[in-house]
Amino acid sequence: MTIDGYTRTCGLIGNPVEHTLSPFIHNTLAKLLSHNLVYVPFHVEEGQVLSAVQGAYALNLLGLNVTVPYKSQVMEGLIEIDELAEKIGAVNTLVRVESGFKGYNTDMPGLYRAMSSEGIQIEGQEVILLGAGGAARAVAFLCASKNAARVYLLNRSIEKAREVAGEVNEKTGKDVMYPMALSDYHCLPNQRFLAIQATSVGLYPDTEQAVIEDEAFYRKIHTGYDLIYKPSNTRFMQLVQKQGGKAYHGLKMLLYQGIIAYELWNELAVSEEMASEVYEVLKKKMGM
Ligand code: ATR
């Protein structure tokens, strides 16, 4: 592409940002759609996130993604926050509006689109959610808002599980979240579940680890969805598959959270054909 006086800039703020795949998503979309737009990662030091947002506005940036560790902190610097992002308490996408940026959360709808594209349903499902950190919170809101029958929220620290489960039940007005200590997994009822792995265990370079090792646990899982995509076949996924379940990694979630952000910045809808083209680029980058 030619960068000229009309080129619009989007980007990513976080720390670290050096290993991000997001530029491949957005710059591929810009190319496929013949948009005069570039997407650049910006490494922002601790304590600088609010000045970064102000600076981005002053520099006429069209939009930003926000990653670890700033998804909550950034909310202070916004003039408006979308209702869903407000509920989740995390913003990963900033859209330029009249006099500042409006914050959205595209992680949750991104996961929903990724799951739907694999034919995975949440409505009416019995769900196990592993983890109670930032990523798990968005998943918990997704499961409650898409009418899962029940969600067992298992976390190493039970206090955090209780906190997230209580908050999700309260904010969605539903009584679907059941917090449990991770070590109590053997108390789960004897039935088969959709399990979503939202802890950081198993993430590269600690690829030999899974948050639970016991095969008896994995016999209860018909579908396992790991939010991790590096490695592309996590130990959690292998353990699910060994007991006959289907297993998925999180690369499509990454793809769709990016696509939804691009749609917000440019006020358009990205087709499924185009989403598949971008996914091929991502898979190649990951060596899949
Ligand atoms: P993220 O933004 O990726 O969700 P996070 O907010 O730091 O990251 O959350 C990490 C999650 O992985 C938490 O649920 C954490 O459990 P605790 O709340 O008990 O800390 C979980 N986790 C990390 N390392 C773990 C380990 N070795 N065993 C079990 N759970 C672990």
Side-chain angles (χ1 to χ4, degrees), residues 246-261:
K246 279 190 166 180
Y248 301 86
H249 56 71
L251 193 62
K252 272 202 178 164
M253 176 185 177
L254 179 84
L255 168 77
Y256 282 107
Q257 64 72 34
I259 284 180
I260 297 167

Side-chain angles (χ1 to χ4, degrees), residues 131-136 155-157 160 182 198-201 211:
N155 197 49
R156 178 175 59 179
S157 122
K160 238 163 113 184
L182 190 65
T199 76
S200 46
V201 182
V211 71

Side-chain angles (χ1 to χ4, degrees), residues 151-282:
V151 183
Y152 294 94
L153 176 63
L154 275 64
N155 197 49
R156 178 175 59 179
S157 122
I158 176 74
E159 292 76 28
K160 238 163 113 184
R162 284 200 190 109
E163 197 182 300
V164 173
E167 197 187 325
V168 173
N169 280 338
E170 191 194 313
K171 287 191 179 167
T172 58
K174 292 178 183 165
D175 196 17
V176 294
M177 305 294 306
Y178 292 78
M180 283 173 69
L182 190 65
S183 51
D184 286 342
Y185 67 84
H186 51 270
C187 300
L188 284 163
N190 251 333
Q191 57 192 103
R192 300 194 79 213
F193 295 89
L194 161 65
I196 304 173
Q197 202 303 107
T199 76
S200 46
V201 182
L203 183 63
Y204 179 84
D206 295 318
T207 56
E208 295 307 310
Q209 293 184 32
V211 71
I212 296 171
E213 286 287 339
D214 189 349
E215 291 190 347
F217 170 73
Y218 291 93
R219 281 196 283 277
K220 293 184 179 170
I221 299 176
H222 60 75
T223 306
Y225 199 103
D226 200 329
L227 300 196
I228 292 172
Y229 55 84
K230 191 179 181 183
S232 59
N233 194 12
T234 63
R235 174 134 180 94
F236 169 81
M237 290 168 65
Q238 291 168 28
L239 288 162
V240 169
Q241 284 161 340
K242 201 168 161 207
Q243 300 307 320
K246 279 190 166 180
Y248 301 86
H249 56 71
L251 193 62
K252 272 202 178 164
M253 176 185 177
L254 179 84
L255 168 77
Y256 282 107
Q257 64 72 34
I259 284 180
I260 297 167
Y262 196 93
E263 290 176 336
L264 288 167
W265 295 329
N266 294 287
E267 300 182 65
L268 49 77
V270 171
S271 69
E272 281 315 297
E273 291 71 38
M274 202 167 279
S276 302
E277 278 189 64
V278 181
Y279 192 52
E280 289 308 312
V281 172
L282 284 187

